[in-house]
């Protein structure tokens, strides 16, 4: 669908400030919504919200449907009565600028289990009914997820392919026996989801009341070690023991000479097609209960995807295989009774994009993405990212969670790309010439170009608004650890920064207050 002219900020909730070691859905999240409102923004884009697994990555979640318990605000749990104020008086000293996931997980998990015990002992009938109502609505995915997490915890966190065969293949008697003997563990997992969804609903309602829409993120692939694959192995290319026979990745590109080996199991699209892509429809439906707009990650994989034989150590020896193409999007369109081109989806059409991928995206009126950091190099596709090539039905970013920050990209040399030093120097000179800049505020130069462009939607990572360097980068593709940790501090959102962002947003016709008055 074509979106109205607007702008917003990319920030995952884990990056919010606060005393508990990780950003959460408490007061800092509401303060950030107020920041968006005050600066004329209309959009808040987040990364996937699921419970993180390998490498703490939101793109490797234990479920495509569940929420991340680490995002639950402990202070809100106190307000709701399931923790006491005294429970939060002995908070460990966590880093303010990064998430140290191990200690955070240990600390928050202990308190969430305590809240579960208190809920069982204290909850009045109204709260109990609200909880039961949630579990009934979420039952199609919640029961498999709770069971998966409970069994996983019972096995010391080991992946499901290492469980006993009767649990691995979900024998009815074995699962029944486990449920009967682990009611507490199952109840706790359900309760954590209840807290997450209740807090998220409060936050999104507040954001919407301020005219702020949420953009979520749906990765095309799911983690192998997930409730989704364990509960629905027939939908994936697996062997008899549950191991993938071929996995996802991308061929050699800007980021890596050997490609990116993601390792996610690949879908059996022939099986998904038999019931009209029901699993995917429910996945999109679930996402749209959380957010207003969905960014569909790795859109090119729906046309063709890079399949790598299991056991390979790089992505070089993969091959292109056909995805579901238009059939999937027609099914989604029909399920949502949407008119042609009215799906609230942004297509992440980055990477090796062919005319067939463009044709698929355009057939459903989906806006594609344009990244300014890709606009100035020698890559053959660079021209497509130059602002003079944009069309209104597109979304421009200074960079994404996979890119370095604007300042880091401009100053750090080769970085994680496959460019040579000579190419970097040539690119840097061209950037300055294109922008008419001396580069001392390269982040604001790029923000100005993004906001001024004809693209209907402009999204700026908060790191670029703040002028952060490479140490604030959210993710380095193919790096196994050290990602997803950056956090900002509340005092960084100074009055002068707020005024500057608001003025620039207003000048280029994206201020939500101005847009609202024009609509009237």
């Amino acid at each position: 669908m074509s979106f109205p002219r607007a702008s917003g900020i990319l920030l995952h909730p884990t990056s919010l400030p606060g005393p508990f070691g990780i950003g959460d859905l408490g007061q800092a999240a509401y303060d950030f919504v107020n920041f968006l409102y005050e600066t004329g923004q209309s959009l808040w884009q987040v990364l996937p919200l699921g419970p993180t697994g390998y490498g703490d990555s939101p793109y490797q979640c234990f479920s495509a449907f569940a929420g991340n318990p680490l995002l639950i605000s402990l202070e809100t749990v106190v307000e709701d009565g399931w923790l006491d104020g005294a429970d939060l008086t002995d908070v460990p000293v966590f880093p303010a600028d990064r998430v140290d996931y191990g200690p955070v997980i240990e600390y928050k998990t202990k308190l969430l289990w305590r809240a579960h015990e208190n809920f069982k002992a204290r909850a009045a009938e109204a709260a109990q009914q609200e909880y039961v109502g949630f579990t009934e609505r979420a039952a199609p995915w919640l029961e498999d997820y709770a069971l998966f997490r409970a069994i996983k915890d019972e096995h010391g966190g080991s992946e499901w392919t290492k469980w006993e065969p009767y649990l691995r293949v979900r024998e009815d008697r074995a699962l029944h026996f486990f449920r009967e003997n682990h009611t507490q563990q199952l109840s706790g997992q359900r309760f954590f989801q209840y807290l997450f969804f209740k807090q998220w609903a409060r936050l999104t309602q507040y954001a919407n009341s301020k005219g702020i829409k949420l953009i979520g993120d749906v990765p095309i692939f799911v983690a192998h070690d997930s409730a989704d694959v364990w509960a629905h192995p027939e939908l994936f290319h697996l062997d008899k023991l549950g191991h993938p026979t071929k996995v996802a990745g991308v061929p050699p590109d800007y980021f890596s000479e050997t490609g990116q080996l993601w390792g996610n199991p690949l879908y059996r699209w022939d099986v998904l097609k038999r019931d009209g892509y029901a699993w995917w429809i429910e996945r999109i439906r679930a996402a749209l209960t959380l957010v207003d707009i969905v960014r569909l990650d790795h859109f090119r994989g729906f046309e063709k995807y890079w399949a790598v034989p299991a056991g390979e150590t790089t992505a070089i020896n993969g091959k292109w295989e056909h995805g579901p193409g238009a059939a999937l999007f027609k099914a989604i369109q029909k399920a949502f009774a949407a008119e042609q081109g009215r799906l609230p989806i942004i297509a992440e059409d980055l990477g090796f994009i062919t005319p067939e991928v463009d044709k698929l995206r355009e057939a459903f009126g989906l806006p594609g993405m344009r990244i300014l950091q890709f606009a100035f190099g020698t890559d053959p596709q660079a021209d497509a990212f130059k602002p003079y090539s944009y069309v209104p039905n597109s979304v421009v970013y200074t960079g994404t969670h996979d890119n370095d920050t604007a300042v880091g990209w401009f100053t750090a040399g080769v970085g994680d790309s496959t460019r040579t030093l000579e190419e970097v120097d040539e690119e840097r000179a061209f950037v300055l010439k294109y922008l008419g800049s001396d580069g001392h505020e390269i982040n604001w130069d790029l923000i100005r170009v993004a906001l001024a462009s004809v693209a209907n939607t402009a999204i700026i990572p908060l790191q670029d608004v703040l002028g952060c360097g490479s140490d604030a980068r959210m993710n380095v593709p193919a790096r196994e650890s050290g990602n997803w940790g950056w956090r900002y501090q509340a005092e960084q959102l100074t009055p002068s920064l707020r005024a500057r962002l608001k003025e620039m947003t207003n000048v280029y016709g994206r201020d939500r207050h101005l847009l609202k008055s024009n609509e009237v």
Side-chain angles (χ1 to χ4, degrees), residues 98-109:
R98 295 200 68 79
V99 182
D100 188 0
Y101 278 96
V104 166
I105 291 170
E106 181 179 359
Y107 172 73
K108 294 198 75 168
T109 300

Side-chain angles (χ1 to χ4, degrees), residues 128-403:
Q128 292 178 12
Q129 289 179 349
E130 183 181 66
Y131 167 74
V132 170
F134 165 76
T135 61
E136 290 176 345
R137 291 189 302 273
W141 62 264
L142 180 58
E143 291 310 301
D144 281 330
Y145 170 74
L147 192 57
F148 174 83
R149 290 303 301 270
I151 299 174
K152 189 174 185 64
D153 287 348
E154 189 72 9
H155 287 75
S158 64
E159 60 188 75
W160 65 270
T161 52
K162 296 179 180 178
W163 300 347
E164 294 86 353
Y166 45 83
L167 291 174
R168 187 179 69 233
V169 301
R170 296 172 56 88
E171 288 184 3
D172 288 341
R173 290 180 61 186
L175 295 186
H176 176 77
F177 182 80
F178 188 91
R179 290 188 187 98
E180 289 292 311
N181 289 276
H182 297 84
T183 56
Q184 170 81 349
Q185 292 89 331
L186 293 168
S187 175
Q189 295 297 336
R190 297 187 194 102
F191 177 70
F192 303 156
Q193 292 304 304
Y194 161 71
L195 291 180
F196 171 86
F197 278 86
K198 183 176 182 178
Q199 291 189 10
W200 181 259
R202 287 176 181 170
L203 177 61
T204 55
Q205 184 178 18
Y206 180 77
N208 289 166
S209 75
K210 293 284 191 178
I212 310 297
K213 291 186 176 181
L214 276 293
I215 302 176
D217 197 318
V218 173
I220 181 174
F221 301 116
V222 298
H224 174 248
D225 191 23
S226 67
D228 311 292
V229 180
W230 174 66
H232 303 284
E234 74 281 0
L235 302 181
F236 302 88
H237 285 283
L238 308 175
D239 63 21
K240 293 181 179 179
L241 297 178
H243 301 291
T245 56
K246 50 185 176 179
V247 298
V250 291
D253 60 7
Y254 174 91
F255 291 112
S256 174
E257 293 179 346
T258 58
Q260 297 178 45
L261 185 63
W262 297 335
N264 308 75
L266 295 172
Y267 297 104
R268 293 186 59 189
W269 288 111
D270 58 331
V271 175
L272 285 157
K273 184 178 180 180
R274 291 173 194 165
D275 64 359
Y277 303 101
W279 184 87
W280 259 99
I281 289 170
E282 290 309 307
R283 189 179 182 195
I284 297 296
R285 192 186 309 281
L288 289 174
T289 64
L290 291 172
V291 298
D292 303 290
I293 301 164
V294 165
R295 171 192 178 270
L296 202 51
D297 189 55
H298 198 56
F299 180 80
R300 79 99 52 241
F302 294 104
E303 198 279 321
K304 285 190 183 72
Y305 54 87
W306 190 249
V308 183
E312 292 286 331
T313 57
T314 73
I316 291 178
N317 293 323
K319 66 176 182 177
W320 292 109
E321 296 187 357
H322 286 280
L328 171 63
F329 294 96
K330 288 179 180 177
I332 294 172
Q333 208 169 49
K334 181 179 179 181
F336 289 92
E339 298 176 1
Q340 181 74 15
R342 300 300 296 174
L343 292 172
I345 292 175
I346 295 169
E348 188 269 280
D349 55 343
L350 305 177
F352 181 67
I353 303 303
T354 64
E356 291 79 11
V357 178
D358 287 333
K359 183 178 179 180
L360 177 62
R361 179 183 56 76
E362 292 168 359
F364 294 91
L366 307 180
M369 288 175 52
R370 296 295 175 262
I371 312 300
L372 281 174
Q373 288 189 27
F374 295 161
F376 308 105
T378 57
D379 186 278
Q381 298 192 74
D383 282 352
F385 294 99
K386 291 183 174 64
Y388 61 67
S389 299
Y390 296 173
V391 297
N393 191 30
S394 60
V395 185
V396 58
Y397 295 76
T398 53
T400 74
H401 63 276
D402 281 334
N403 295 108

Side-chain angles (χ1 to χ4, degrees), residues 14 21-22 94-101 104 470-474 479 482-489:
T14 58
I22 189 170
F94 293 113
D97 59 348
R98 295 200 68 79
V99 182
D100 188 0
Y101 278 96
V104 166
S470 297
D471 58 342
R473 183 169 183 170
M474 198 64 171
R479 187 173 71 180
N483 295 320
W484 318 110
W486 177 77
R487 301 174 72 198
Y488 78 93
Q489 299 178 57

